[in-house]
Amino acid sequence: MTSPPALHAHGLHKRYGHTKALNGVDITLLPGQFHVLLGPNGAGKSTLLQLLTGLFNPDQGQIEVCGVSMAQRPAQALARLGVVFQQSALDLDLSVRANLLFHTDLHGLPRREAMARIESLLPTLGLSDQLSATVRTLSGGNRRKVELVRALLHRPAVLLMDEATVGLDPASRQQLLHTVHRLCREQGTAVLWATHLLEEAEEADHLLLLARGEVCYAGTVANFVASHDGADFRQVAMGVLGV
Ligand code: ADP
């Protein structure tokens, strides 16, 4: 018997008044694969991530994380997700350690195990000497990395990143992107990276193009380019997305 995908959502619809934010979206995330959700502002990316993280219920459609229904068993489904939101959720006046332990306490992880995981993850992100630093003193790039560590500490099967590079300089953006690619490969985590930046999509294992609340392409970047006679990825994607 094959195991279920890390995340599977089917037929998602969401309206805000007369606005159809999502209109029948299907999405499947596989372990160890880096999926990019690319769409212009207003395409529905944040709405989709809000549904996948259980913040709102879809008007229609189902979401399962590792085969666990978000509607029927939300706590078990959410326990398998790690999320980095666009807006920072760190307490700036607390240390990196205190911020991370707050999160592991919420997940019921014993302190000794939590510290072991923190001490093994920080060096992989180049943050080993920042454990006692107050978050306010860290650069924007390092704050994002702390959020990434926090999202990974409970060892989620799925990592959702919502426009995680917004506000970062180009070097920090590249570094964060490469770090998440590496973690995805090494740890077998299914990653969904939502962005409006074409350059963040080119290295994706799997590309989802979202426009006006609908998925207009799902597949590899290579197949996308091949189906447009090998034309330049950025130009074709801009055309398909209508930007
Ligand atoms: P993206 O993240 O791709 O920029 P959003 O999911 O934020 O897209 O928005 C999708 C559509 O839904 C847009 O037309 C947006 O104006 C609308 N929308 C999003 N959130 C709300 C809300 N809380 N109330 C009303 N309309 C909303």
Side-chain angles (χ1 to χ4, degrees):
M1 203 176 86
T2 52
S3 50
L7 184 143
H8 180 63
H10 176 68
L12 296 181
H13 287 258
K14 183 73 185 174
R15 262 178 187 279
Y16 296 105
H18 294 297
T19 306
K20 278 188 189 173
L22 294 178
N23 190 24
V25 166
D26 297 337
I27 175 169
T28 300
L29 305 182
L30 300 176
Q33 298 268 301
F34 194 99
H35 310 73
V36 170
L37 178 67
L38 178 67
N41 288 332
K45 302 182 297 297
S46 291
T47 302
L48 178 57
L49 268 81
Q50 284 164 347
L51 300 187
L52 298 182
T53 51
L55 284 177
F56 297 113
N57 293 322
D59 299 334
Q60 280 177 52
Q62 291 88 37
I63 299 166
E64 287 185 354
V65 188
C66 303
V68 177
S69 161
M70 183 70 79
Q72 286 160 21
R73 294 199 288 149
Q76 288 90 334
L78 290 172
R80 292 164 169 82
L81 289 181
V83 190
V84 176
F85 287 109
Q86 214 174 109
Q87 300 295 331
S88 171
L90 296 173
D91 188 322
L92 296 180
D93 295 318
L94 292 183
S95 67
V96 170
R97 181 193 290 105
N99 269 283
L100 295 177
L101 287 176
F102 177 68
H103 177 78
T104 51
D105 285 350
L106 282 179
H107 277 269
L109 207 63
R111 281 284 174 103
R112 184 193 291 255
E113 174 66 19
M115 276 317 297
R117 291 190 190 183
I118 289 169
E119 282 165 6
S120 83
L121 264 172
L122 285 186
T124 68
L125 293 166
L127 291 172
S128 14
D129 54 350
Q130 303 294 333
L131 190 56
S132 302
T134 306
V135 168
R136 194 181 289 284
T137 65
L138 302 183
S139 67
N142 278 350
R143 287 184 198 180
R144 279 278 125 144
K145 286 185 191 168
V146 173
E147 297 197 81
L148 178 58
V149 170
R150 188 186 51 186
L152 293 170
L153 279 172
H154 59 289
R155 302 202 171 140
V158 180
L159 176 66
L160 305 175
M161 307 280 293
D162 187 8
E163 300 264 8
T165 58
V166 164
L168 298 187
D169 59 74
S172 306
R173 188 188 294 163
Q174 272 301 315
Q175 213 188 14
L176 188 71
L177 186 60
H178 285 150
T179 304
V180 177
H181 267 287
R182 181 167 52 80
L183 290 170
C184 169
R185 274 196 309 276
E186 289 174 2
Q187 305 193 348
T189 314
V191 173
L192 181 64
W193 180 282
T195 184
H196 67 280
L197 299 171
L198 290 156
E199 63 266 31
E200 294 185 356
E202 281 165 305
E203 304 291 317
D205 296 315
H206 193 89
L207 177 67
L208 289 137
L209 296 184
L210 190 70
R212 295 168 292 281
E214 296 185 8
V215 175
C216 47
Y217 176 79
T220 64
V221 175
N223 281 347
F224 178 73
V225 170
S227 65
H228 292 86
D229 300 326
D232 177 70
F233 167 70
R234 294 188 194 190
Q235 287 206 336
V236 183
M238 280 184 354
V240 170
L241 292 172
V243 291

